[in-house]
Amino acid sequence: MHQIEKDRKNRALFLCAAGTLVALLIIMISLNTGSTRLTPLEILRTLMGFGSYADQLILLEYRLPRILVTVLAGAGLGLAGAVFQGVSRNALADPGILGIHAGAALGLIVFVSFFRTMDGPAALLIPIFTFFGGAAAAFIVILFSLDRRRGLLPIRLLLVGIAVAAGMSAVTLLLSLKLDEETYTFAARWLAGSVWGRDWIHVLSLLPWIVILGGVLYGRSRTLDLFSLGDDLAASVGSSVTRNRLVMLLLAVGLSCASVSMTGSIGFIGLIAPNIAKRLVGPAHRYMLPLSACIGTIILVAADTIGRSIFLPNMIPAGVVVAAVGGPYFLYQLMRVKN
């Protein structure tokens, strides 16, 4: 048993290291993606402080902050999806499908209705508004999906999530119609999953949410493992099921809503990343969570890079690129669950 656990740990470490290398490679490609090309040597020189003024402006003020936002957001969405799937024992659970992103969108619309700028110190408040919107959506979904005897019902969770997403999207659309033209255009792009956070203030506003909540979540990874046993067995080994479920869900809502606050309403990453990670390293969350975060980063950075490069000078929202892959993957997972 000890040898098996050691092999799992070594495999997880190897895969996380490999995933990190892939992520770094994609980041290097993304740094060189745009109307102005920079060679790998020019990128390294600029990052070390020896580049020209033009290279520093392009790399450090435009491309690097945007890429760091996608790195953090991808990791946050991957972690959030792993939590939702672990807590609900449902491989189809995803923040977007469950209506959490629709709640975050409503929170964002409320924010832009009061603040006409998304730059400067006001940007630090954006994740807070999206969090409360997502928390409201999560509360409604859980309220109507929770059975006192059988816990969270997977099918009911999906159906209620779809209904909540539709309702909140309708309210969001109604409020967005009252915005001025410029703000409405921003809201429309956000809903399409366009990465808009591209300044250092946006990186700073997202960083503490992902680092702190992600660290707390990893520290409680064994608690997530208990949910796979079922509520009754988890309670029999001394776990406070209701309290732990609430804490985990709040962490997941915070991670997902903070992530989409800077990248737009991007779905399916929280579905794809945990499923792939689970297949590679098994269901133990202390191994699955880091790999899920790494895969989420790879997916989002790659999607944003493809969207910025394939149809230059026009850009495709990263959410559209992810949906092109995530939609069929969701149907595939749905068929596997039915079978």
Side-chain angles (χ1 to χ4, degrees):
M1 184 65 71
H2 178 72
Q3 184 61 38
I4 294 175
E5 182 67 18
K6 185 177 180 181
D7 291 341
R8 286 180 179 174
K9 182 178 180 180
N10 291 335
R11 178 180 174 83
L13 289 173
F14 171 77
L15 289 171
C16 284
T20 301
L21 290 176
V22 172
L24 289 174
L25 177 61
I26 296 175
I27 289 172
M28 288 295 293
I29 295 173
S30 186
L31 287 171
N32 194 30
T33 298
S35 56
T36 302
R37 298 288 183 176
L38 299 176
T39 66
L41 181 59
E42 289 174 331
I43 292 174
L44 290 175
R45 288 180 58 190
T46 304
L47 291 176
M48 295 174 63
F50 299 108
S52 65
Y53 174 78
D55 291 347
Q56 290 182 18
L57 185 65
I58 293 171
L59 199 63
L60 301 182
E61 297 300 325
Y62 291 101
R63 294 182 185 174
L64 187 58
R66 178 185 181 126
I67 292 170
L68 289 179
V69 165
T70 58
V71 168
L72 293 170
L77 291 171
L79 290 172
V83 176
F84 281 115
Q85 292 177 17
V87 168
S88 64
R89 300 191 300 277
N90 183 358
L92 298 177
D94 169 80
I97 298 170
L98 297 180
I100 309 302
H101 290 177
L106 180 57
L108 182 83
I109 293 298
V110 173
F111 173 85
V112 297
S113 297
F114 289 99
F115 301 90
R116 296 299 179 180
T117 179
M118 276 68 73
D119 299 318
L124 299 173
L125 299 175
I126 298 175
I128 299 175
F129 276 77
T130 54
F131 169 76
F132 281 111
F139 174 78
I140 297 172
V141 171
I142 294 169
L143 181 65
F144 288 99
S145 304
L146 191 62
D147 186 275
R148 291 184 177 181
R149 295 182 179 180
R150 293 182 292 172
L152 283 174
L153 303 179
I155 298 300
R156 188 185 296 180
L157 192 72
L158 289 175
L159 294 176
V160 174
I162 293 171
V164 169
M168 288 197 163
S169 295
V171 177
T172 300
L173 179 61
L174 179 63
L175 293 177
S176 65
L177 293 176
K178 299 180 180 181
L179 300 174
D180 60 75
E181 184 178 352
E182 182 179 353
T183 310
Y184 176 81
T185 301
F186 165 79
R189 293 180 60 197
W190 188 94
L191 292 171
S194 178
V195 178
W196 69 274
R198 57 192 67 184
D199 293 328
W200 287 106
I201 188 65
H202 301 133
V203 177
L204 294 176
S205 64
L206 182 57
L207 182 64
W209 288 79
I210 305 303
V211 173
I212 296 174
L213 296 185
V216 173
L217 178 61
Y218 184 77
R220 301 176 67 93
S221 57
R222 293 185 184 275
T223 302
L224 269 176
D225 292 339
L226 294 177
F227 285 108
S228 63
L229 304 175
D231 290 1
D232 293 336
L233 283 177
S236 68
V237 297
S239 174
S240 179
V241 177
T242 302
R243 182 176 64 84
N244 286 333
R245 175 176 282 121
L246 179 61
V247 171
M248 289 297 176
L249 288 174
L250 285 175
L251 290 172
V253 168
L255 285 166
S256 61
C257 291
S259 298
V260 299
S261 69
M262 297 298 163
T263 62
S265 185
I266 295 178
F268 295 113
I269 291 179
L271 169 70
I272 300 172
N275 276 285
I276 295 176
K278 188 181 295 183
R279 287 191 176 192
L280 292 174
V281 297
H285 285 85
R286 63 186 178 278
Y287 302 139
M288 190 183 75
L289 287 174
L291 187 58
S292 183
C294 190
I295 294 172
T297 293
I298 291 172
I299 293 173
L300 186 51
V301 176
D304 185 52
T305 304
I306 292 171
R308 289 191 293 116
S309 61
I310 193 169
F311 288 122
L312 277 175
N314 298 317
M315 291 191 292
I316 301 174
V320 174
V321 179
V322 175
V325 178
Y329 188 84
F330 173 74
L331 295 176
Y332 165 72
Q333 283 293 112
L334 184 63
M335 295 302 296
R336 288 184 71 244
V337 170
K338 284 185 176 181
N339 295 331

